[in-house]
Amino acid sequence: MEIELSRENGEKIYLQLYSKLKEMIENGEIKGKIFSIRELAKSLKVSISTVVKAYEQLEKNDYIYLRGGSGAYVKYSREKKLYLEDHMENEIFKYGYFNSEYRIDFSTASPNADFFPIEELKKAINYILDRDGGKALLYENPQGYIELRKSIKRELKNEGIDVEIKDIQIMSGAQQGIDILSKTLIYPGDIVVTEDPAYKGAIVSFKNNGAKVERISIKKDGLDIKELENILKRDKIKFIYTAATFHNPTGISISEKKRIELLKLAEKYDFYIVEDDCSSDIFFDDKKIKSIKSYDKNKRVIYIKSYSKVFMPGFRLGFMIVPEKIANSVLAGKYSSDISNSGLNQRVFQYFLENGIWNRHIEKSRKEFHKKQKYMYSKLKKIENIKINKPKGGMCFWIELPKEITGEAVYMKLAKRGVGILPGVVFSEKSYNYIRLSFAQCNEKEIDEGIEILGKVIDELR
């Protein structure tokens, strides 16, 4: 039995023991009946009370159960894990994405249906059908409706991104862009770097196409550049995937200095930067954060932008800016995936862009989400012993729980009370004591009730 405990790192011994046993149970190294308290205490040269405290935490978090008189037994099962995750490729049913049982939904990072611009949508559809007739309902060019791409080009120009129309590929949201890039760029054994934690849909896509995924930690100003450099000195990588602005799930944004450093490294070590931008429009400061793409002079950045997250998730619309050398392969991937996006949807969104409806909707969204963020933050601050990162945009909070409490245990207890969240392990195995809360779907009354229940659950698990 290999369990190493340190008396020098400042962390309580029982919490170290809890973490080690938890990891061994998750990896299948311990099954059935586990070590007796006395046996383990003697083997590790720790007090019986230390082992008792570790076992109590394992029991609270559903890893073991105690059977009176006969010891402790493993309760944990991989098959029991049921998480909500946004658009997780091929797993949306398994992970309960369409679960409507939650009275209070802190799991979904997209707006409530009541917030959609339905009246404007009706007018746009009627106008387009009157103007274009049945043409709007035919198959569209696989690269995308030309007028929409022209409108996107103008929008990008205002944000400091100067591209040609031929460089813009319309997609059915960010996930399709990630999947097509994976199939286009990745060969078995290629190394792809991501942040840790990171959006699971991207990780799954990279691994399904044979990539070896290296993960680097995130600092307060974004990904750890030194960790990345260490990987680059050791191995050739295909690309790095980053949610650079209001990162999912942490809400952290990469600093301007690091954005420039990242581009220099991409040039020096010859790799692409895949920038996934789904939240940059929801900013709470005076100015929008400039994308990495806006600093890109050497076409190192493959820029993916989703409109679905903020606009209407079911609309499934976004675009990708791709380098000329892979543009034909990406177009072929789009065609083989779904031929093209709905011509009607593309015309509707182009109408929204050209008539200022999109910008008005985004401005309204920023004000609404900022108000919700401040309100939820004021409630979260009342819960003791948690650490909260308050982002300057986006729709989520990333919350660190006490080390003896797992996000999974909180998730399960909240689910039984009709409250939906996401446990940190959805984004990283290392984030076992984190949870992600979104305020996008909720009103203030639901926030009051949901955060009160969260506080009680955390108290129960202490």
Side-chain angles (χ1 to χ4, degrees):
M1 177 178 61
E2 293 291 331
I3 297 179
E4 294 183 6
L5 304 174
S6 172
R7 289 169 172 77
E8 298 176 0
N9 66 7
E11 186 178 3
K12 293 179 180 178
I13 299 296
Y14 86 90
L15 289 178
Q16 292 183 51
L17 179 56
Y18 161 73
S19 296
K20 298 286 186 183
L21 292 172
K22 170 182 167 291
E23 184 178 345
M24 292 171 75
I25 291 170
E26 288 179 343
N27 293 337
E29 297 174 46
I30 305 176
K31 298 178 181 178
K33 187 175 181 179
I34 69 172
F35 324 108
S36 75
I37 291 172
R38 290 184 182 278
E39 180 184 277
L40 191 56
K42 183 178 179 181
S43 172
L44 298 176
K45 297 179 181 179
V46 297
S47 68
I48 287 175
S49 64
T50 294
V51 180
V52 169
K53 285 182 179 179
Y55 277 25
E56 285 175 349
Q57 295 306 320
L58 289 170
E59 185 182 24
K60 279 184 181 180
N61 289 295
D62 285 331
Y63 281 90
I64 65 171
Y65 66 94
L66 301 176
R67 187 181 294 172
S70 64
Y73 294 80
V74 172
K75 183 180 180 182
Y76 174 85
S77 170
R78 289 180 183 276
E79 284 70 36
K80 286 184 181 177
K81 287 186 177 181
L82 298 172
Y83 307 130
L84 294 159
E85 171 58 313
D86 307 339
H87 319 300
M88 192 178 296
E89 185 196 44
N90 298 326
E91 294 185 320
I92 50 180
F93 291 103
K94 176 182 172 185
Y95 285 85
Y97 180 65
F98 295 112
N99 193 325
S100 60
E101 296 178 5
Y102 294 108
R103 294 183 298 105
I104 301 170
D105 186 1
F106 291 154
S107 64
T108 306
S110 56
N112 188 291
D114 295 338
F115 201 67
F116 299 158
I118 300 300
E119 291 305 315
E120 288 92 341
L121 180 63
K122 288 178 183 177
K123 292 176 184 176
I125 291 173
N126 288 334
Y127 172 82
I128 288 160
L129 291 177
D130 286 342
R131 184 191 69 187
D132 297 350
K135 187 178 179 182
L137 304 174
L138 297 175
Y139 280 123
E140 192 50 72
N141 181 330
Q143 192 171 358
Y145 177 49
I146 184 66
E147 296 304 322
L148 173 59
R149 286 188 284 137
K150 287 178 181 178
S151 296
I152 289 172
K153 173 181 164 62
R154 285 192 287 272
E155 290 285 318
L156 289 171
K157 182 78 172 176
N158 293 334
E159 296 183 13
I161 302 174
D162 194 7
V163 295
E164 299 299 320
I165 294 171
K166 64 180 177 60
D167 299 327
I168 299 170
Q169 171 66 58
I170 301 299
M171 293 287 176
S172 299
Q175 183 65 58
Q176 185 181 60
I178 291 166
D179 291 340
I180 290 173
L181 272 182
S182 296
K183 292 169 184 173
T184 301
L185 291 177
I186 295 172
Y187 290 89
D190 281 348
I191 296 173
V192 170
V193 177
T194 74
E195 294 139 329
D196 190 17
Y199 167 54
K200 188 170 182 178
I203 305 294
V204 169
S205 184
F206 302 151
K207 288 184 176 180
N208 281 349
N209 286 281
K212 177 187 175 186
V213 178
E214 295 268 3
R215 306 186 72 165
I216 56 177
S217 57
I218 300 176
K219 305 293 186 181
K220 289 183 179 180
D221 60 348
L223 55 83
D224 191 321
I225 291 288
K226 288 184 179 179
E227 279 187 35
L228 175 60
E229 281 191 275
N230 288 337
I231 293 171
L232 295 172
K233 289 173 183 176
R234 185 184 72 231
D235 296 306
K236 168 70 178 168
I237 74 168
K238 185 57 65 84
F239 60 81
I240 180 170
Y241 167 82
T242 176
T245 306
F246 311 132
H247 170 267
N248 179 25
T250 67
I252 290 171
S253 296
I254 299 177
S255 66
E256 181 179 32
K257 179 184 176 183
K258 281 191 173 180
R259 290 173 191 240
I260 294 168
E261 286 177 355
L262 187 56
L263 282 165
K264 288 178 180 177
L265 289 175
E267 190 67 19
K268 179 178 178 180
Y269 290 97
D270 188 25
F271 63 87
Y272 286 120
I273 300 165
V274 177
E275 182 178 12
D276 186 351
D277 180 4
C278 65
S279 301
S280 68
D281 290 313
I282 305 301
F283 59 92
F284 304 144
D285 281 344
D286 294 334
K287 289 184 179 180
K288 185 174 182 177
I289 296 174
K290 291 180 67 176
S291 64
I292 301 175
K293 183 63 182 174
S294 67
Y295 297 97
D296 182 23
K297 306 302 180 187
N298 299 308
K299 298 187 176 180
R300 288 289 172 184
V301 179
I302 300 171
Y303 182 74
I304 302 175
K305 171 88 172 180
S306 173
Y307 293 118
S308 301
K309 197 84 166 176
V310 182
F311 181 47
M312 300 181 198
F315 219 66
R316 308 309 303 137
L317 193 63
F319 68 88
M320 183 159 61
I321 301 173
V322 294
E324 188 174 354
K325 64 169 71 174
I326 65 167
N328 287 336
S329 297
V330 167
L331 181 60
K334 169 65 178 175
Y335 186 82
S336 65
S337 176
D338 62 2
I339 302 179
S340 66
N341 280 68
S342 158
L344 179 60
N345 284 4
Q346 292 185 70
R347 283 167 168 80
V348 165
F349 197 74
Q350 193 265 339
Y351 176 92
F352 272 39
L353 288 175
E354 288 302 308
N355 290 278
I357 299 169
W358 165 250
N359 286 329
R360 289 196 297 274
H361 176 70
I362 285 296
E363 181 63 29
K364 179 183 174 184
S365 299
R366 278 198 291 271
K367 291 177 181 177
E368 178 69 14
F369 292 136
H370 194 195
K371 179 183 174 185
K372 286 186 178 183
Q373 189 208 49
K374 288 192 288 187
Y375 190 77
M376 181 179 274
Y377 184 68
S378 71
K379 300 299 176 182
L380 285 168
K381 285 196 299 182
K382 296 177 182 178
I383 301 177
E384 295 181 356
N385 299 318
I386 63 170
K387 295 179 182 178
I388 313 160
N389 175 46
K390 187 183 181 186
K392 295 182 179 180
M395 293 175 272
C396 299
F397 284 106
W398 184 238
I399 298 172
E400 183 180 357
L401 304 167
K403 285 199 172 181
E404 68 270 21
I405 300 176
T406 68
E408 293 165 286
V410 173
Y411 164 82
M412 295 301 289
K413 283 184 173 288
L414 287 176
K416 290 175 183 176
R417 301 183 196 187
V419 180
I421 64 160
L422 287 181
V425 289
V426 166
F427 304 96
S428 170
E429 291 179 0
K430 294 178 182 178
S431 301
Y432 74 89
N433 64 318
Y434 284 80
I435 55 175
R436 193 195 79 177
L437 265 64
S438 171
F439 43 83
Q441 289 276 323
C442 304
N443 57 40
E444 290 186 356
K445 183 179 178 182
E446 289 168 332
I447 290 171
D448 285 339
E449 184 182 355
I451 300 303
E452 183 180 354
I453 294 170
L454 173 64
K456 288 178 180 178
V457 163
I458 291 173
D459 284 341
E460 289 170 11
L461 290 168
R462 283 204 186 106

